[in-house]
Amino acid sequence: MTHLVSPPLILLLECFNQVPDGGYFVLVRLPDHMKAAEVLEEGVNNHKVRFLPGSSFGETMQNYLRLSFSMYDAEDILVGIQRLANAIRTVESKSN
């Protein structure tokens, strides 16, 4: 399932991620100036998408987010990535 997550994240979100060796999650690094908590707020309030912000794991991970992919089929993953991309773009446009 991670083959569906990696290319769209890089193209749509312009973010970097690491493909896990196993498990149920993908860790995504947003651009350094973005905070995952702001993207989460935008995503939940306006785009019907949710994730776990990296700040849950430590102060130095403010621009990281963790995505779950184990419970979703390919179509749902692609919809979620598009929604997340829209939330990120909205947050980015507010900071410019």
Side-chain angles (χ1 to χ4, degrees):
M1 208 48 92
T2 58
H3 69 283
L4 294 171
V5 176
S6 297
L9 279 175
I10 293 168
L11 294 173
L12 293 175
L13 308 179
E14 298 177 9
C15 298
F16 302 97
N17 67 307
Q18 294 180 324
V19 177
D21 292 331
Y24 306 106
F25 306 99
V26 174
L27 189 64
V28 177
R29 181 171 60 101
L30 297 168
D32 292 339
H33 66 279
M34 293 189 83
K35 293 191 184 221
E38 294 173 2
V39 176
L40 178 61
E41 182 178 353
E42 176 65 28
V44 168
N45 291 337
N46 301 309
H47 301 278
K48 297 183 181 180
V49 67
R50 181 180 300 270
F51 58 84
L52 187 63
S55 58
S56 301
F57 306 105
E59 187 64 31
T60 61
M61 297 187 70
Q62 297 289 320
N63 65 317
Y64 285 82
L65 52 96
R66 188 175 84 166
L67 303 176
S68 171
F69 62 87
S70 64
M71 296 176 19
Y72 304 98
D73 62 25
E75 184 177 330
D76 288 339
I77 288 173
L78 293 175
V79 168
I81 289 171
Q82 186 62 56
R83 290 177 181 178
L84 180 57
N86 291 337
I88 290 171
R89 287 186 187 115
T90 300
V91 170
E92 182 71 27
S93 70
K94 290 178 182 178
S95 69
N96 290 336

